[in-house]
Amino acid sequence: MDLPKKVVLCEVGPRDGLQNEIKTLNVDEKINLINSISESGFKVIEVGSFMHPKAVPQMATTDEVFKKIKKLDGVEYRALIANIKGLERAVCCGAKKVKLNVSASKAHNLVNLNRTPEESVASFKEIVTVALSNNISVSGSISMPFGSPWEHEIPISDVKKIVNAYLNEGITEISLSDTSGMAVPNQVYNFCVDMKTDFPAVKWILHFHNTRGMGIANIFAGMQAGITWFDTSFAGVGGCPFVPGASGNVSTEDVLHMLNEMNIETGINLDKVINTSKHLINILKHTTDSYILKAGKSKDLIRKLSSVQESKQ
Ligand code: ZN
């Protein structure tokens, strides 16, 4: 089976995870978590978002957090923005990477913004121009390309229109975000093969929420299609305000554990990630869907059984 030898995991827990938690972490708690994630070996970390504090109160302190975290060389610290105000805050914080988002759902866009998803992307033109003039690179995200609560199925031709709109703005790094947790593995595989064929210049990132337990299987399907960049969230924290019962992103330690066991390189220290995720769970005071936090690593289990055997002898 052809699988990549190396994979890049982008830790999105500090943004996508924490923005959906009831408890809002304070600045020091966030800084400690992000610093320990940096030290675990991640090369991409989504630190937070620059949204209106009333819209996303959990992210109100992103400016201070962004300024105060330790920035390691070779690590990309990115932030999600929605408009020019968000970009101005990113500039003030010295951010080098921002991410824009559009929903693949035409119905959702028309009701909320009175424009199609492609028109939304075209409206990002000013943001992209100002970002580039400040040496900030821009990536784009498309949420719900694999299915939305409004249309259920989104025609792939509609998603391609959005990709073209991003390319028109010079954005070539695109994340496909299964926010609604509706993607299934054969769909992901076919979708990614099709996208890679039509848009060979795009750097694709896959972003799965584990709402229906498909996150890790979808990542595997993505790898089979040759995708090597994936978003994950420490402890699997998070959710989605539009989707009842939505889970967070597939948990970082679960994905990392699978990749380690499959000898796929990430450069990330799993033990350090597990410690950070345990620390986070202690702060949030609730458990999550993370399998590794519940069951531990397979290798630990082997050690435990052999020590039982030794004690019997
Ligand atoms: Zn998400």
Side-chain angles (χ1 to χ4, degrees):
M1 190 188 298
D2 258 359
L3 288 172
K5 291 192 167 53
K6 269 188 189 175
V7 153
V8 177
L9 294 188
C10 320
E11 175 57 56
V12 297
R15 197 279 302 171
D16 203 357
L18 298 185
Q19 78 173 12
N20 287 299
E21 286 294 326
I22 292 163
K23 178 172 179 174
T24 301
L25 272 60
N26 65 39
V27 170
D28 286 340
E29 285 169 332
K30 287 185 182 179
I31 291 172
N32 286 337
L33 285 165
I34 295 167
N35 285 346
S36 46
I37 279 295
S38 285
E39 283 155 15
S40 309
F42 282 87
K43 291 290 172 250
V44 186
I45 300 172
E46 197 159 296
V47 172
S49 66
F50 294 113
M51 302 292 172
H52 196 287
K54 274 190 187 147
V56 192
Q58 295 91 334
M59 292 290 116
T61 55
T62 297
D63 310 66
E64 193 180 349
V65 171
F66 213 108
K67 284 177 190 160
K68 289 185 177 169
I69 49 169
K70 232 185 273 167
K71 315 265 189 339
L72 300 188
D73 284 347
V75 180
E76 177 186 290
Y77 297 93
R78 74 182 180 209
L80 183 73
I81 60 165
N83 49 36
I84 198 80
K85 278 216 171 94
L87 177 66
E88 284 161 5
R89 286 166 65 190
V91 172
C92 278
C93 294
K96 294 279 167 267
K97 180 77 170 266
V98 292
K99 181 167 102 175
L100 290 160
N101 176 254
V102 68
S103 160
S105 164
K106 201 184 277 182
H108 183 215
N109 258 263
L110 288 172
V111 167
N112 278 285
L113 305 163
N114 199 26
R115 46 168 78 129
T116 64
E118 308 86 90
E119 286 166 347
S120 289
V121 172
S123 76
F124 295 154
K125 191 177 278 299
E126 186 199 359
I127 300 174
V128 177
T129 308
V130 177
L132 295 181
S133 68
N134 283 282
N135 286 323
I136 297 176
S137 58
V138 185
S139 70
S141 151
I142 302 172
S143 53
M144 298 180 277
F146 304 107
S148 92
W150 293 276
E151 289 102 336
H152 196 68
E153 271 180 37
I154 309 275
I156 195 163
S157 54
D158 283 8
V159 183
K160 287 180 182 176
K161 282 185 197 161
I162 306 171
V163 174
N164 274 318
Y166 270 129
L167 291 175
N168 280 340
E169 303 312 320
I171 295 172
T172 56
E173 180 186 296
I174 298 174
S175 157
L176 301 171
S177 301
D178 184 31
T179 317
S180 48
M182 292 164 78
V184 289
N186 60 337
Q187 175 197 24
V188 170
Y189 176 83
N190 292 331
F191 198 99
C192 292
V193 168
D194 194 342
M195 284 294 181
K196 274 173 69 82
T197 307
D198 274 22
F199 303 101
V202 171
K203 183 172 116 185
W204 299 102
I205 303 175
L206 294 180
H207 174 113
F208 295 112
H209 284 250
N210 203 30
T211 308
R212 291 174 182 81
M214 289 290 103
I216 210 155
N218 287 332
I219 286 181
F220 187 78
M223 286 197 296
Q224 283 187 305
I227 307 290
T228 56
W229 291 64
F230 301 94
D231 287 351
T232 59
S233 172
F234 43 21
V237 287
C240 170
F242 301 120
V243 185
S247 306
N249 291 92
V250 58
S251 105
T252 304
E253 54 275 11
D254 288 353
V255 177
L256 196 50
H257 182 264
M258 173 181 80
L259 296 172
N260 281 359
E261 292 298 307
M262 288 165 57
N263 294 318
I264 294 173
E265 206 182 302
T266 61
I268 300 165
N269 182 313
L270 175 57
D271 291 319
K272 284 188 178 171
V273 172
I274 292 173
N275 284 340
T276 306
S277 294
K278 281 183 179 164
H279 177 59
L280 173 61
I281 294 304
N282 280 337
I283 296 173
L284 294 173
K285 296 194 171 31
H286 67 72
T287 55
T288 63
D289 294 338
S290 166
Y291 286 96
I292 296 301
L293 289 192
K294 282 180 210 146
K297 300 180 289 178
S298 325
K299 287 195 170 77
D300 291 346
L301 181 69
I302 293 161
R303 268 206 298 278
K304 273 179 209 158
L305 284 174
S306 60
S307 64
V308 169
Q309 216 122 51
E310 277 157 25
S311 65
K312 278 184 187 167
Q313 283 168 2

Short mmCIF file of all heavy atoms in Angstrom, two decimals, residues 226-286:
data_model
loop_
_atom_site.label_atom_id
_atom_site.label_comp_id
_atom_site.label_asym_id
_atom_site.label_seq_id
_atom_site.Cartn_x
_atom_site.Cartn_y
_atom_site.Cartn_z
N GLY A 226 -2.67 10.51 -1.06
CA GLY A 226 -1.43 11.28 -1.19
C GLY A 226 -1.42 12.61 -0.46
O GLY A 226 -0.52 13.43 -0.63
N ILE A 227 -2.42 12.84 0.40
CA ILE A 227 -2.43 14.08 1.21
C ILE A 227 -1.50 13.87 2.41
O ILE A 227 -1.51 12.79 3.03
CB ILE A 227 -3.86 14.41 1.71
CG1 ILE A 227 -4.86 14.45 0.55
CG2 ILE A 227 -3.87 15.70 2.52
CD1 ILE A 227 -4.73 15.59 -0.41
N THR A 228 -0.73 14.91 2.76
CA THR A 228 0.24 14.75 3.85
C THR A 228 0.09 15.81 4.95
O THR A 228 0.89 15.85 5.88
CB THR A 228 1.68 14.78 3.31
OG1 THR A 228 1.87 16.00 2.59
CG2 THR A 228 1.97 13.61 2.39
N TRP A 229 -0.90 16.68 4.84
CA TRP A 229 -1.10 17.72 5.87
C TRP A 229 -2.48 17.52 6.50
O TRP A 229 -3.48 17.48 5.78
CB TRP A 229 -1.01 19.13 5.26
CG TRP A 229 0.39 19.49 4.81
CD1 TRP A 229 1.10 18.87 3.82
CD2 TRP A 229 1.21 20.54 5.32
NE1 TRP A 229 2.32 19.48 3.69
CE2 TRP A 229 2.42 20.50 4.59
CE3 TRP A 229 1.05 21.51 6.32
CZ2 TRP A 229 3.46 21.40 4.83
CZ3 TRP A 229 2.08 22.40 6.55
CH2 TRP A 229 3.27 22.34 5.83
N PHE A 230 -2.51 17.46 7.83
CA PHE A 230 -3.79 17.23 8.53
C PHE A 230 -3.88 18.10 9.77
O PHE A 230 -2.90 18.23 10.51
CB PHE A 230 -3.91 15.75 8.95
CG PHE A 230 -3.84 14.80 7.79
CD1 PHE A 230 -2.63 14.22 7.43
CD2 PHE A 230 -4.97 14.51 7.04
CE1 PHE A 230 -2.55 13.35 6.35
CE2 PHE A 230 -4.90 13.64 5.95
CZ PHE A 230 -3.68 13.07 5.60
N ASP A 231 -5.05 18.66 10.01
CA ASP A 231 -5.31 19.39 11.26
C ASP A 231 -5.78 18.40 12.32
O ASP A 231 -6.60 17.51 12.02
CB ASP A 231 -6.44 20.42 11.06
CG ASP A 231 -6.01 21.63 10.24
OD1 ASP A 231 -4.81 21.77 9.96
OD2 ASP A 231 -6.89 22.43 9.89
N THR A 232 -5.29 18.57 13.54
CA THR A 232 -5.79 17.76 14.66
C THR A 232 -5.88 18.67 15.89
O THR A 232 -5.31 19.76 15.90
CB THR A 232 -4.84 16.58 14.97
OG1 THR A 232 -3.54 17.11 15.28
CG2 THR A 232 -4.73 15.62 13.81
N SER A 233 -6.56 18.18 16.92
CA SER A 233 -6.76 19.01 18.11
C SER A 233 -6.37 18.22 19.37
O SER A 233 -6.81 17.07 19.54
CB SER A 233 -8.24 19.40 18.17
OG SER A 233 -8.54 20.04 19.37
N PHE A 234 -5.54 18.84 20.23
CA PHE A 234 -5.12 18.13 21.45
C PHE A 234 -6.33 17.69 22.28
O PHE A 234 -7.27 18.43 22.49
CB PHE A 234 -4.13 18.92 22.30
CG PHE A 234 -4.39 20.39 22.52
CD1 PHE A 234 -5.64 20.97 22.36
CD2 PHE A 234 -3.35 21.22 22.93
CE1 PHE A 234 -5.85 22.32 22.60
CE2 PHE A 234 -3.54 22.57 23.17
CZ PHE A 234 -4.80 23.12 22.99
N ALA A 235 -6.30 16.45 22.69
CA ALA A 235 -7.38 15.80 23.45
C ALA A 235 -8.69 15.69 22.65
O ALA A 235 -9.68 15.20 23.16
CB ALA A 235 -7.63 16.51 24.79
N GLY A 236 -8.68 16.16 21.42
CA GLY A 236 -9.91 16.11 20.61
C GLY A 236 -10.96 17.12 21.07
O GLY A 236 -12.15 16.92 20.83
N VAL A 237 -10.50 18.20 21.71
CA VAL A 237 -11.47 19.18 22.22
C VAL A 237 -12.13 19.94 21.07
O VAL A 237 -11.57 20.06 19.99
CB VAL A 237 -10.83 20.21 23.20
CG1 VAL A 237 -10.52 19.58 24.52
CG2 VAL A 237 -9.62 20.89 22.59
N GLY A 238 -13.31 20.44 21.35
CA GLY A 238 -14.00 21.30 20.37
C GLY A 238 -15.38 20.81 20.01
O GLY A 238 -15.94 19.92 20.64
N GLY A 239 -15.93 21.42 18.97
CA GLY A 239 -17.28 21.09 18.51
C GLY A 239 -17.62 21.98 17.34
O GLY A 239 -16.73 22.46 16.66
N CYS A 240 -18.88 22.21 17.11
CA CYS A 240 -19.28 23.12 16.03
C CYS A 240 -20.64 23.68 16.39
O CYS A 240 -21.57 22.92 16.67
CB CYS A 240 -19.35 22.36 14.70
SG CYS A 240 -20.09 23.33 13.38
N PRO A 241 -20.78 25.01 16.40
CA PRO A 241 -22.05 25.60 16.85
C PRO A 241 -23.25 25.25 15.97
O PRO A 241 -24.39 25.29 16.42
CB PRO A 241 -21.77 27.11 16.82
CG PRO A 241 -20.51 27.30 16.04
CD PRO A 241 -19.76 26.01 16.08
N PHE A 242 -23.02 24.88 14.68
CA PHE A 242 -24.14 24.60 13.77
C PHE A 242 -24.61 23.16 13.84
O PHE A 242 -25.66 22.82 13.30
CB PHE A 242 -23.72 24.85 12.31
CG PHE A 242 -23.27 26.25 12.06
CD1 PHE A 242 -21.99 26.51 11.60
CD2 PHE A 242 -24.12 27.32 12.30
CE1 PHE A 242 -21.57 27.80 11.37
CE2 PHE A 242 -23.70 28.61 12.06
CZ PHE A 242 -22.42 28.86 11.61
N VAL A 243 -23.80 22.28 14.42
CA VAL A 243 -24.10 20.85 14.31
C VAL A 243 -24.37 20.28 15.70
O VAL A 243 -23.49 20.22 16.55
CB VAL A 243 -22.89 20.10 13.68
CG1 VAL A 243 -23.23 18.64 13.46
CG2 VAL A 243 -22.48 20.75 12.36
N PRO A 244 -25.63 19.85 15.93
CA PRO A 244 -25.95 19.29 17.26
C PRO A 244 -25.06 18.09 17.57
O PRO A 244 -24.88 17.22 16.71
CB PRO A 244 -27.41 18.86 17.11
CG PRO A 244 -27.92 19.45 15.85
CD PRO A 244 -26.75 19.79 15.00
N GLY A 245 -24.50 18.06 18.76
CA GLY A 245 -23.70 16.91 19.18
C GLY A 245 -22.34 16.83 18.51
O GLY A 245 -21.67 15.80 18.59
N ALA A 246 -21.91 17.89 17.86
CA ALA A 246 -20.64 17.84 17.12
C ALA A 246 -19.47 17.64 18.07
O ALA A 246 -19.43 18.20 19.16
CB ALA A 246 -20.45 19.12 16.34
N SER A 247 -18.53 16.81 17.63
CA SER A 247 -17.29 16.62 18.38
C SER A 247 -16.25 17.58 17.82
O SER A 247 -16.42 18.16 16.76
CB SER A 247 -16.74 15.22 18.19
OG SER A 247 -17.71 14.27 18.50
N GLY A 248 -15.15 17.63 18.56
CA GLY A 248 -14.02 18.42 18.09
C GLY A 248 -13.29 17.71 16.97
O GLY A 248 -13.73 16.67 16.47
N ASN A 249 -12.15 18.28 16.62
CA ASN A 249 -11.30 17.63 15.63
C ASN A 249 -10.86 16.29 16.17
O ASN A 249 -10.82 16.07 17.37
CB ASN A 249 -10.05 18.46 15.37
CG ASN A 249 -10.37 19.75 14.67
OD1 ASN A 249 -10.60 20.75 15.30
ND2 ASN A 249 -10.43 19.69 13.36
N VAL A 250 -10.49 15.42 15.24
CA VAL A 250 -9.93 14.15 15.66
C VAL A 250 -8.71 14.44 16.54
O VAL A 250 -7.98 15.40 16.32
CB VAL A 250 -9.60 13.30 14.40
CG1 VAL A 250 -8.65 14.00 13.49
CG2 VAL A 250 -9.14 11.93 14.75
N SER A 251 -8.53 13.65 17.61
CA SER A 251 -7.55 14.03 18.62
C SER A 251 -6.12 13.84 18.12
O SER A 251 -5.80 12.85 17.46
CB SER A 251 -7.79 13.26 19.92
OG SER A 251 -6.85 12.24 20.09
N THR A 252 -5.28 14.80 18.45
CA THR A 252 -3.88 14.79 18.00
C THR A 252 -3.18 13.51 18.43
O THR A 252 -2.49 12.87 17.63
CB THR A 252 -3.16 16.01 18.59
OG1 THR A 252 -3.86 17.18 18.21
CG2 THR A 252 -1.72 16.10 18.12
N GLU A 253 -3.38 13.13 19.70
CA GLU A 253 -2.61 11.97 20.19
C GLU A 253 -3.08 10.67 19.54
O GLU A 253 -2.28 9.77 19.31
CB GLU A 253 -2.64 11.88 21.73
CG GLU A 253 -4.01 11.87 22.38
CD GLU A 253 -4.57 13.26 22.63
OE1 GLU A 253 -4.00 14.24 22.11
OE2 GLU A 253 -5.60 13.35 23.32
N ASP A 254 -4.37 10.58 19.18
CA ASP A 254 -4.86 9.38 18.50
C ASP A 254 -4.22 9.27 17.11
O ASP A 254 -3.77 8.19 16.70
CB ASP A 254 -6.39 9.40 18.35
CG ASP A 254 -7.12 9.19 19.67
OD1 ASP A 254 -6.45 8.90 20.68
OD2 ASP A 254 -8.35 9.32 19.69
N VAL A 255 -4.20 10.38 16.39
CA VAL A 255 -3.62 10.37 15.04
C VAL A 255 -2.12 10.11 15.11
O VAL A 255 -1.58 9.29 14.36
CB VAL A 255 -3.91 11.71 14.32
CG1 VAL A 255 -3.25 11.73 12.94
CG2 VAL A 255 -5.41 11.92 14.18
N LEU A 256 -1.48 10.79 16.04
CA LEU A 256 -0.02 10.64 16.19
C LEU A 256 0.35 9.21 16.56
O LEU A 256 1.33 8.65 16.04
CB LEU A 256 0.43 11.61 17.29
CG LEU A 256 1.91 11.95 17.39
CD1 LEU A 256 2.48 12.35 16.05
CD2 LEU A 256 2.07 13.09 18.40
N HIS A 257 -0.45 8.61 17.43
CA HIS A 257 -0.21 7.23 17.84
C HIS A 257 -0.33 6.31 16.62
O HIS A 257 0.53 5.45 16.38
CB HIS A 257 -1.22 6.82 18.92
CG HIS A 257 -1.04 5.43 19.42
ND1 HIS A 257 -1.77 4.36 18.93
CD2 HIS A 257 -0.20 4.92 20.35
CE1 HIS A 257 -1.39 3.26 19.55
NE2 HIS A 257 -0.45 3.56 20.42
N MET A 258 -1.36 6.50 15.81
CA MET A 258 -1.52 5.68 14.61
C MET A 258 -0.32 5.86 13.69
O MET A 258 0.25 4.87 13.21
CB MET A 258 -2.81 6.08 13.85
CG MET A 258 -2.93 5.39 12.51
SD MET A 258 -4.42 5.84 11.57
CE MET A 258 -3.95 7.41 10.86
N LEU A 259 0.09 7.10 13.47
CA LEU A 259 1.21 7.35 12.55
C LEU A 259 2.50 6.74 13.08
O LEU A 259 3.26 6.13 12.33
CB LEU A 259 1.38 8.86 12.33
CG LEU A 259 0.19 9.56 11.65
CD1 LEU A 259 0.39 11.08 11.65
CD2 LEU A 259 -0.01 9.05 10.21
N ASN A 260 2.73 6.86 14.39
CA ASN A 260 3.94 6.25 14.99
C ASN A 260 3.94 4.75 14.77
O ASN A 260 4.94 4.16 14.39
CB ASN A 260 3.99 6.52 16.50
CG ASN A 260 4.47 7.93 16.80
OD1 ASN A 260 4.77 8.69 15.89
ND2 ASN A 260 4.51 8.28 18.08
N GLU A 261 2.79 4.12 15.06
CA GLU A 261 2.69 2.66 14.93
C GLU A 261 2.86 2.22 13.48
O GLU A 261 3.25 1.08 13.21
CB GLU A 261 1.35 2.16 15.47
CG GLU A 261 1.19 2.32 16.98
CD GLU A 261 2.21 1.51 17.77
OE1 GLU A 261 2.33 0.31 17.52
OE2 GLU A 261 2.92 2.12 18.61
N MET A 262 2.55 3.12 12.54
CA MET A 262 2.68 2.80 11.12
C MET A 262 4.02 3.26 10.55
O MET A 262 4.23 3.22 9.34
CB MET A 262 1.52 3.46 10.34
CG MET A 262 0.18 2.77 10.60
SD MET A 262 -1.25 3.74 10.06
CE MET A 262 -0.90 3.99 8.36
N ASN A 263 4.91 3.73 11.46
CA ASN A 263 6.24 4.22 11.05
C ASN A 263 6.17 5.36 10.05
O ASN A 263 6.99 5.44 9.13
CB ASN A 263 7.11 3.08 10.49
CG ASN A 263 7.44 2.07 11.57
OD1 ASN A 263 7.74 2.46 12.70
ND2 ASN A 263 7.32 0.79 11.24
N ILE A 264 5.18 6.20 10.22
CA ILE A 264 5.10 7.42 9.39
C ILE A 264 5.61 8.58 10.25
O ILE A 264 5.13 8.81 11.35
CB ILE A 264 3.65 7.66 8.91
CG1 ILE A 264 3.23 6.53 7.96
CG2 ILE A 264 3.53 9.02 8.22
CD1 ILE A 264 1.78 6.54 7.54
N GLU A 265 6.60 9.26 9.71
CA GLU A 265 7.33 10.27 10.49
C GLU A 265 6.53 11.57 10.63
O GLU A 265 5.90 12.03 9.67
CB GLU A 265 8.61 10.56 9.71
CG GLU A 265 9.78 11.05 10.53
CD GLU A 265 10.95 11.34 9.60
OE1 GLU A 265 11.38 10.39 8.89
OE2 GLU A 265 11.38 12.49 9.58
N THR A 266 6.58 12.17 11.82
CA THR A 266 5.94 13.48 12.03
C THR A 266 6.89 14.48 12.70
O THR A 266 6.65 15.69 12.65
CB THR A 266 4.70 13.37 12.95
OG1 THR A 266 5.14 12.85 14.23
CG2 THR A 266 3.64 12.46 12.37
N GLY A 267 7.91 13.97 13.39
CA GLY A 267 8.81 14.85 14.13
C GLY A 267 8.21 15.33 15.44
O GLY A 267 8.74 16.22 16.10
N ILE A 268 7.07 14.74 15.83
CA ILE A 268 6.36 15.19 17.04
C ILE A 268 6.50 14.13 18.14
O ILE A 268 6.37 12.93 17.87
CB ILE A 268 4.87 15.46 16.74
CG1 ILE A 268 4.74 16.54 15.66
CG2 ILE A 268 4.13 15.88 18.00
CD1 ILE A 268 3.37 16.62 15.03
N ASN A 269 6.75 14.59 19.36
CA ASN A 269 6.93 13.70 20.49
C ASN A 269 5.55 13.38 21.11
O ASN A 269 4.91 14.23 21.73
CB ASN A 269 7.84 14.38 21.52
CG ASN A 269 8.13 13.50 22.70
OD1 ASN A 269 7.22 12.89 23.28
ND2 ASN A 269 9.39 13.41 23.07
N LEU A 270 5.11 12.13 20.94
CA LEU A 270 3.78 11.72 21.40
C LEU A 270 3.62 11.85 22.92
O LEU A 270 2.58 12.30 23.40
CB LEU A 270 3.49 10.27 20.95
CG LEU A 270 2.20 9.64 21.44
CD1 LEU A 270 0.98 10.45 21.05
CD2 LEU A 270 2.06 8.21 20.91
N ASP A 271 4.66 11.48 23.68
CA ASP A 271 4.54 11.56 25.15
C ASP A 271 4.30 13.00 25.60
O ASP A 271 3.51 13.25 26.52
CB ASP A 271 5.80 10.99 25.82
CG ASP A 271 5.88 9.49 25.62
OD1 ASP A 271 4.83 8.82 25.71
OD2 ASP A 271 6.99 8.98 25.34
N LYS A 272 5.00 13.92 24.96
CA LYS A 272 4.80 15.33 25.33
C LYS A 272 3.38 15.78 24.99
O LYS A 272 2.75 16.52 25.75
CB LYS A 272 5.81 16.22 24.60
CG LYS A 272 7.22 16.13 25.19
CD LYS A 272 8.15 17.15 24.58
CE LYS A 272 9.52 17.04 25.26
NZ LYS A 272 10.54 17.85 24.59
N VAL A 273 2.87 15.32 23.84
CA VAL A 273 1.50 15.69 23.44
C VAL A 273 0.50 15.13 24.46
O VAL A 273 -0.43 15.82 24.89
CB VAL A 273 1.17 15.18 22.02
CG1 VAL A 273 -0.30 15.40 21.69
CG2 VAL A 273 2.05 15.88 20.98
N ILE A 274 0.71 13.88 24.86
CA ILE A 274 -0.21 13.25 25.83
C ILE A 274 -0.22 14.06 27.13
O ILE A 274 -1.28 14.33 27.71
CB ILE A 274 0.18 11.77 26.08
CG1 ILE A 274 -0.09 10.94 24.81
CG2 ILE A 274 -0.57 11.20 27.28
CD1 ILE A 274 0.39 9.50 24.87
N ASN A 275 0.97 14.47 27.58
CA ASN A 275 1.04 15.27 28.82
C ASN A 275 0.28 16.58 28.67
O ASN A 275 -0.45 16.99 29.58
CB ASN A 275 2.50 15.56 29.19
CG ASN A 275 3.16 14.33 29.79
OD1 ASN A 275 2.48 13.42 30.27
ND2 ASN A 275 4.48 14.29 29.75
N THR A 276 0.45 17.23 27.52
CA THR A 276 -0.25 18.50 27.30
C THR A 276 -1.76 18.28 27.28
O THR A 276 -2.53 19.04 27.88
CB THR A 276 0.20 19.13 25.95
OG1 THR A 276 1.61 19.23 25.94
CG2 THR A 276 -0.40 20.51 25.75
N SER A 277 -2.19 17.22 26.61
CA SER A 277 -3.63 16.95 26.52
C SER A 277 -4.21 16.61 27.90
O SER A 277 -5.32 17.04 28.24
CB SER A 277 -3.90 15.79 25.55
OG SER A 277 -3.54 16.17 24.25
N LYS A 278 -3.44 15.87 28.71
CA LYS A 278 -3.91 15.56 30.08
C LYS A 278 -4.04 16.83 30.90
O LYS A 278 -5.00 17.02 31.66
CB LYS A 278 -2.91 14.61 30.77
CG LYS A 278 -3.07 13.16 30.34
CD LYS A 278 -2.10 12.28 31.12
CE LYS A 278 -2.26 10.83 30.70
NZ LYS A 278 -1.12 10.00 31.15
N HIS A 279 -3.05 17.70 30.73
CA HIS A 279 -3.08 18.99 31.44
C HIS A 279 -4.32 19.79 31.03
O HIS A 279 -5.02 20.36 31.88
CB HIS A 279 -1.78 19.74 31.10
CG HIS A 279 -1.69 21.10 31.69
ND1 HIS A 279 -1.74 21.32 33.05
CD2 HIS A 279 -1.57 22.32 31.11
CE1 HIS A 279 -1.67 22.63 33.28
NE2 HIS A 279 -1.56 23.25 32.12
N LEU A 280 -4.62 19.79 29.74
CA LEU A 280 -5.79 20.51 29.22
C LEU A 280 -7.09 19.96 29.82
O LEU A 280 -7.98 20.71 30.25
CB LEU A 280 -5.83 20.43 27.69
CG LEU A 280 -7.07 20.99 27.01
CD1 LEU A 280 -7.25 22.48 27.31
CD2 LEU A 280 -6.99 20.78 25.50
N ILE A 281 -7.18 18.62 29.86
CA ILE A 281 -8.39 17.99 30.42
C ILE A 281 -8.57 18.37 31.89
O ILE A 281 -9.69 18.59 32.36
CB ILE A 281 -8.26 16.44 30.26
CG1 ILE A 281 -8.27 16.05 28.79
CG2 ILE A 281 -9.33 15.68 31.02
CD1 ILE A 281 -9.48 16.54 28.05
N ASN A 282 -7.45 18.48 32.60
CA ASN A 282 -7.51 18.91 34.01
C ASN A 282 -8.07 20.33 34.13
O ASN A 282 -8.82 20.63 35.05
CB ASN A 282 -6.12 18.87 34.66
CG ASN A 282 -5.77 17.46 35.07
OD1 ASN A 282 -6.65 16.61 35.26
ND2 ASN A 282 -4.48 17.18 35.17
N ILE A 283 -7.68 21.17 33.20
CA ILE A 283 -8.18 22.56 33.23
C ILE A 283 -9.67 22.59 32.87
O ILE A 283 -10.46 23.26 33.52
CB ILE A 283 -7.40 23.45 32.23
CG1 ILE A 283 -5.92 23.55 32.61
CG2 ILE A 283 -8.02 24.85 32.17
CD1 ILE A 283 -5.06 24.27 31.56
N LEU A 284 -10.04 21.84 31.83
CA LEU A 284 -11.43 21.89 31.34
C LEU A 284 -12.39 21.13 32.26
O LEU A 284 -13.59 21.37 32.26
CB LEU A 284 -11.52 21.30 29.93
CG LEU A 284 -10.80 22.09 28.83
CD1 LEU A 284 -10.83 21.31 27.52
CD2 LEU A 284 -11.44 23.46 28.63
N LYS A 285 -11.84 20.19 33.02
CA LYS A 285 -12.62 19.39 33.97
C LYS A 285 -13.72 18.57 33.28
O LYS A 285 -14.85 18.46 33.77
CB LYS A 285 -13.22 20.26 35.08
CG LYS A 285 -12.14 20.90 35.94
CD LYS A 285 -12.68 21.47 37.21
CE LYS A 285 -11.63 21.93 38.18
NZ LYS A 285 -10.37 22.42 37.66
N HIS A 286 -13.42 18.05 32.09
CA HIS A 286 -14.32 17.06 31.50
C HIS A 286 -13.49 16.14 30.61
O HIS A 286 -12.42 16.52 30.14
CB HIS A 286 -15.47 17.70 30.73
CG HIS A 286 -15.09 18.44 29.49
ND1 HIS A 286 -14.68 17.82 28.33
CD2 HIS A 286 -15.04 19.77 29.23
CE1 HIS A 286 -14.42 18.73 27.41
NE2 HIS A 286 -14.60 19.92 27.92
#
